[in-house]
Every structure is written in structure tokens, then in C-alpha cells.
Amino acid sequence: MGPTAMLDWNQTKRLARSLNLPNVHEDIRSDGFACLHAHGRLWTWWDSRVDAPGFRLPAGERDFLIAADPEIFFVTEAEAPYNHVLAHPARVSPRWILGNLSLSWRALAPSIFVQLFPGEGPPVPHFMEH
């Protein structure tokens, strides 16, 4: 995907699958949006109302991201109660997506998975339940 390519759900799934992490499966959210679950919990999805990918975040990070780059990150009223963020598909970096998905997979994983797939970077973030 080049810098000017428009991200879509298939490309988002390919990025997620390229991490080669176990216990990930495709599903449909209760609101009808296509999604990927990791360890049985929502991991990433495509919000067809705004045609954008959605991601989980550690508590308190969303407001920082939106303030730092509102041209990329935003939230809808439906996602506001959760630690979720949406990203404008023409602007979000595949590198950011991979980093977010790696960290959020680890945060959702039982400790045995984190030990088997330690990854690199900061400690495993903690997500609030939603």
C-alpha cells in the first residue's frame, strides 16, 4: 500500500494478519460491522457508517491521539463510551496500525500468549473492559 493508497477493510485485515498472531478470527459485530477478534474480544473493525477502521486503545490515549492529529484520528458518538478510536483511511499510517494491533493483541491475550509472543516495545497496556 503506497502513501496515497486509500486503506480499506481488506487491507486492514491483511495488515493485521501479517503480524502472524494466533487466536485471531474474523467476525461481525452486533452492529453489523466486519471485525477481527483476538482472544474472543473485539480487536479491530471497519465502521461502514464513516468508512473507516476502528482500533482499541489503552485508557486515556484516545484524547491524546485526537488532539495530536485530528486529521487522522477521530471518534463517533457510538464509539465515544469505549476506549476506541477511528482513523481516516487515506491518512493513517500502516506502521501505526501494525504497532497498535500488536500492542492491543498483547493486551487482550492471556498471559501464556504474551509469554509465547512477547513482541517488542513498551509493557503490555491495560484496557478497560468494554
Side-chain angles (χ1 to χ4, degrees), residues 41-100:
R41 296 178 59 204
L42 181 64
W43 189 36
T44 187
W45 64 96
W46 193 266
D47 186 326
S48 57
R49 291 175 300 212
V50 292
D51 205 22
F55 304 95
R56 294 180 74 110
L57 292 171
E61 190 172 315
R62 179 178 67 198
D63 292 342
F64 170 79
L65 275 176
I66 292 170
D69 205 334
E71 298 279 323
I72 297 175
F73 301 105
F74 67 102
V75 67
T76 63
E77 189 176 310
E79 300 297 342
Y82 307 102
N83 290 316
H84 297 166
V85 72
L86 296 157
H88 291 288
R91 297 182 180 269
V92 67
S93 158
R95 184 175 177 192
W96 183 89
I97 292 171
L98 290 170
N100 169 271

Side-chain angles (χ1 to χ4, degrees), residues 1-128:
M1 188 172 87
T4 59
M6 179 72 124
L7 184 74
D8 64 16
W9 177 235
N10 287 326
Q11 292 163 329
T12 304
K13 286 189 300 187
R14 273 194 293 276
L15 283 169
R17 298 275 188 201
S18 75
L19 293 168
N20 294 316
L21 297 168
N23 212 11
V24 170
H25 71 278
E26 197 165 342
D27 207 347
I28 301 292
R29 283 180 20 159
S30 61
D31 53 16
F33 298 154
C35 68
L36 290 176
H37 279 109
H39 313 288
R41 296 178 59 204
L42 181 64
W43 189 36
T44 187
W45 64 96
W46 193 266
D47 186 326
S48 57
R49 291 175 300 212
V50 292
D51 205 22
F55 304 95
R56 294 180 74 110
L57 292 171
E61 190 172 315
R62 179 178 67 198
D63 292 342
F64 170 79
L65 275 176
I66 292 170
D69 205 334
E71 298 279 323
I72 297 175
F73 301 105
F74 67 102
V75 67
T76 63
E77 189 176 310
E79 300 297 342
Y82 307 102
N83 290 316
H84 297 166
V85 72
L86 296 157
H88 291 288
R91 297 182 180 269
V92 67
S93 158
R95 184 175 177 192
W96 183 89
I97 292 171
L98 290 170
N100 169 271
L101 291 176
S102 179
L103 285 174
S104 62
W105 180 91
R106 293 174 67 216
L108 296 171
S111 60
I112 187 66
F113 281 96
V114 174
Q115 293 168 11
L116 292 172
F117 298 88
E120 298 178 12
V124 177
H126 295 284
F127 291 106
M128 292 176 56

